[in-house]
Amino acid sequence: MADRKLFALVCVLIGISVLLTYSLSVYFTIFSGVGEFHFAIRQFIFGTISIFIMWSLAQGDPDRHLSPVGFTLFIGSAFLMIIMPFLPDFLVTAVGGAKRWIKVFGFSLAPVEFFKVGFVYFLAWSFSRKLGHHGDMGIKEEFIRFAPYGIVFIGAMFVIAFVQNDLGQVVVLGLTLLFMLMFAGSSFRFFLSLLLGALLFFLFFIFTAEHRILRIKSWWALAQNSVLDMLPARLATALRVPTEVEPYQIGHSLNAIHNGGLFGTGVANGTFKLGFLSEVHTDFVLAGLAEEFGFMGILFVTLLFMWMLQRIFKIANRTRSTSTYLFSIGIGLLLAFAFLVNAYGISGITPIKGISVPFLSYGGSAVMAASFGIGMILMASKKAKME
């Protein structure tokens, strides 16, 4: 029997997302000229489909169905991402010159969301066959062993970061890959080497795009005072960003969080969703949640999310299959990093990356893709020794 607690926890998070979408999208519905229930109804449809996806996958036999589903997601979504720039405009939706969504029956789906789940399955499947404990292996041998995966990741990174102009997804995927390598048996020394290389690549991507530089400056303009006060005056002066760089979104996000206090302003009573935070029901959903439900609302959702991760990691720990173990760990890491990157961004700790909150942010692609990952874990849980 599949893990019922994990299924129920995800269903509760999806239900909360429908409520938040209705409450937080009020300004955007007026701005877009649609009915007040427009986005809530769409999120309800996405959520219902996602729950059905999880339930359907949970009925499958992991020995027969897990691999076909995983490779279909990996190969199919990779193919779509590659051909998207060449598709006509009536089939794709472009934002900022980057084609990220494919139009299907009046909805827009982002292949990159499904690619992340498929990529994690590919890594888990391959790591379980090619990697193992590093033993006395030198770092050079570890790099040689890792090289094929590095080439695949660099290819994916090029498509996502340059073709689709979405660096945030690369950050989440890169972190997931690094930690999966640790669980697959690589040495800590190799992990640190890859982490340093990833930081250098990250800086390269930032300084090759003007909009990313401006985003970093916007974040630093807000965070610099608390940091520069601890540095020598000469160094602080050199690092200070001119005040004309306006931390617009982060500033309003922090004000929304502060306005919520301990218990919040109440459902539909938030003010910063009224044009101050753009599309607050998507990337800034946690800021909207904090304003209307306060610290207690954030705490409740965080505990639900942590409970969900605990069930995922428990399934991973109880399974006998190495590939299933790594896949479950990878999906848990993927969801955890997305939550943390978003939470750190809206609270001003790190720059905003445009990453949605799993199962909470409005959007069909993200919730359905994550549901594929959870559904595959539910399928695998039937062969794990659970309490």
Side-chain angles (χ1 to χ4, degrees):
M1 182 179 296
D3 189 87
R4 292 181 177 179
K5 290 182 181 179
L6 176 59
F7 179 76
L9 286 167
V10 176
C11 289
V12 171
L13 288 172
I14 291 174
I16 293 173
S17 78
V18 177
L19 172 63
L20 290 175
T21 298
Y22 170 70
S23 177
L24 300 179
S25 64
V26 55
Y27 175 83
F28 197 65
T29 57
I30 298 172
F31 180 79
S32 303
V34 296
E36 63 174 315
F37 295 102
H38 175 80
F39 295 105
I41 291 174
R42 291 170 70 93
Q43 188 68 358
F44 176 79
I45 294 172
F46 297 147
T48 302
I49 294 173
S50 298
I51 291 172
F52 177 74
I53 288 171
M54 288 190 295
W55 180 85
S56 299
L57 289 173
Q59 311 309 308
D61 180 356
D63 294 331
R64 295 176 53 197
H65 302 126
L66 199 60
S67 187
V69 173
F71 279 112
T72 298
L73 290 173
F74 176 59
I75 298 173
S77 55
F79 174 74
L80 289 176
M81 286 196 303
I82 292 171
I83 68 169
M84 278 178 66
F86 309 103
L87 294 177
D89 291 342
F90 70 89
L91 286 178
V92 294
T93 302
V95 175
K99 296 180 177 180
R100 298 181 185 175
W101 291 272
I102 292 180
K103 298 175 184 178
V104 181
F105 302 115
F107 297 93
S108 295
L109 295 179
V112 67
E113 298 289 351
F114 299 90
F115 174 79
K116 291 188 296 184
V117 177
F119 185 65
V120 168
Y121 182 81
F122 164 74
L123 291 178
W125 173 84
S126 189
F127 284 175
S128 66
R129 287 158 174 77
K130 304 294 184 181
L131 302 187
H133 197 271
H134 55 88
D136 296 326
M137 185 178 294
I139 193 168
K140 179 180 178 181
E141 287 77 13
E142 287 197 79
F143 268 108
I144 293 173
R145 186 175 65 167
F146 172 73
Y149 306 105
I151 293 171
V152 173
F153 179 73
I154 290 173
M157 186 169 58
F158 174 81
V159 173
I160 298 172
F162 283 108
V163 178
Q164 297 199 342
N165 198 21
D166 194 352
L167 183 59
Q169 301 287 6
V170 173
V171 171
V172 172
L173 266 183
L175 288 171
T176 304
L177 169 62
L178 283 175
F179 281 86
M180 283 184 69
L181 277 169
M182 285 283 290
F183 285 102
S186 294
S187 66
F188 187 65
R189 177 181 56 179
F190 182 64
F191 170 82
L192 290 179
S193 300
L194 285 181
L195 182 61
L196 177 60
L199 289 174
L200 294 176
F201 267 110
F202 182 69
L203 292 174
F204 170 75
F205 282 125
I206 289 175
F207 289 108
T208 53
E210 185 177 353
H211 74 280
R212 293 182 187 133
I213 296 175
L214 291 175
R215 185 175 294 179
I216 293 292
K217 285 184 176 180
S218 178
W219 162 73
W220 182 243
L222 185 70
Q224 63 183 347
N225 289 334
S226 58
V227 177
L228 296 181
D229 289 343
M230 299 183 291
L231 300 178
R234 181 175 296 179
L235 181 60
T237 301
L239 295 176
R240 189 171 298 278
V241 172
T243 54
E244 62 263 18
V245 179
E246 179 68 25
Y248 180 77
Q249 292 283 36
I250 300 176
H252 286 315
S253 176
L254 291 174
N255 288 333
I257 295 170
H258 179 267
N259 192 43
L262 185 60
F263 297 104
T265 60
V267 181
N269 290 328
T271 56
F272 284 89
K273 65 187 179 184
L274 303 177
F276 297 99
L277 283 171
S278 62
E279 300 184 38
V280 64
H281 54 298
T282 57
D283 296 345
F284 287 89
V285 66
L286 290 180
L289 172 69
E291 184 179 19
E292 298 198 349
F293 293 89
F295 171 79
M296 299 306 296
I298 289 289
L299 178 63
F300 176 71
V301 165
T302 302
L303 290 176
L304 282 179
F305 205 87
M306 291 177 66
W307 192 3
M308 176 190 71
L309 293 177
Q310 184 266 342
R311 297 305 299 181
I312 292 174
F313 294 141
K314 190 172 186 178
I315 291 170
N317 192 48
R318 300 293 177 87
T319 186
R320 295 180 179 178
S321 168
T322 304
S323 63
T324 301
Y325 163 77
L326 290 174
F327 174 72
S328 300
I329 289 288
I331 292 297
L333 290 171
L334 196 68
L335 298 175
F337 286 137
F339 187 94
L340 288 174
V341 167
N342 183 281
Y344 286 172
I346 64 107
S347 56
I349 298 174
T350 62
I352 297 171
K353 293 290 190 301
I355 296 293
S356 62
V357 183
F359 300 114
L360 287 180
S361 294
Y362 170 81
S365 298
V367 68
M368 286 192 290
S371 295
F372 266 100
I374 295 295
M376 293 167 71
I377 294 174
L378 289 172
M379 185 195 304
S381 72
K382 294 190 294 185
K383 290 207 169 185
K385 294 182 177 179
M386 300 296 293
E387 296 178 356

